[in-house]
Amino acid sequence: MNDAFNRMFQQMLQQGQEMARSFNPALEQVDTKAFEKLIPTMPADVMEMWFGKTFNREGLDAKTRLLLTIGAITVQGAMAEPQLRMTIRQAIEAGATKREIAETIYQMSMFAGLPAMQKALEIAASSYDDEEDGA
């Protein structure tokens, strides 16, 4: 890599890490070096794909992107419960209301069916309870 590309790539990684922290403040302490032992190129590839080119693009704000993610996870059904809980918490942090989250899940009933919608609404309700309990 030449110096200009390396600087641009490092800036993109930094922007990706800042975006990840805005989604979930706990990611501030994530050490991507730990992943390098498992898959040497994974941290850079993942950061570039998810946060550099996907989540860091212009056109949609973080809240909208997270609501879309909630919709996609809802369609996947109950097999993605931990991811749905985390995304709901991140969406709330990004400014989404409980009503917006519920409407997003309701909209997915057309694509995922009523059982998937019901399960997602139950997960959302229990996630709200967790938030209110300080968990």
Side-chain angles (χ1 to χ4, degrees), residues 36-101:
E36 290 179 10
K37 293 177 185 173
L38 180 62
I39 304 171
T41 61
M42 185 175 130
D45 292 345
V46 169
M47 294 300 285
E48 178 182 0
M49 181 183 68
W50 289 341
F51 299 109
K53 293 184 179 176
T54 303
F55 282 104
N56 211 18
R57 294 168 48 99
E58 291 183 20
L60 295 175
D61 60 12
K63 179 179 92 168
T64 303
R65 289 183 192 281
L66 289 162
L67 289 171
L68 290 166
T69 303
I70 288 170
I73 294 172
T74 297
V75 171
Q76 293 176 345
M79 67 183 188
E81 182 172 341
Q83 293 83 359
L84 183 57
R85 286 183 184 284
M86 181 179 73
T87 305
I88 288 169
R89 287 193 302 269
Q90 292 170 341
I92 290 169
E93 286 293 320
T97 65
K98 293 177 184 179
R99 175 68 186 257
E100 290 171 324
I101 292 168

Side-chain angles (χ1 to χ4, degrees), residues 67-68 70-76 98-114 116-118 120-121:
L67 289 171
L68 290 166
I70 288 170
I73 294 172
T74 297
V75 171
Q76 293 176 345
K98 293 177 184 179
R99 175 68 186 257
E100 290 171 324
I101 292 168
E103 291 295 334
T104 299
I105 294 170
Y106 287 139
Q107 183 70 28
M108 294 303 103
S109 68
M110 301 272 300
F111 307 102
L114 294 175
M117 179 200 72
Q118 183 62 40
L121 287 172

Side-chain angles (χ1 to χ4, degrees), residues 84-85 88 101-102 105 119-129:
L84 183 57
R85 286 183 184 284
I88 288 169
I101 292 168
I105 294 170
K119 179 65 177 176
L121 287 172
E122 290 171 7
I123 292 168
S126 69
S127 295
Y128 304 149
D129 293 342

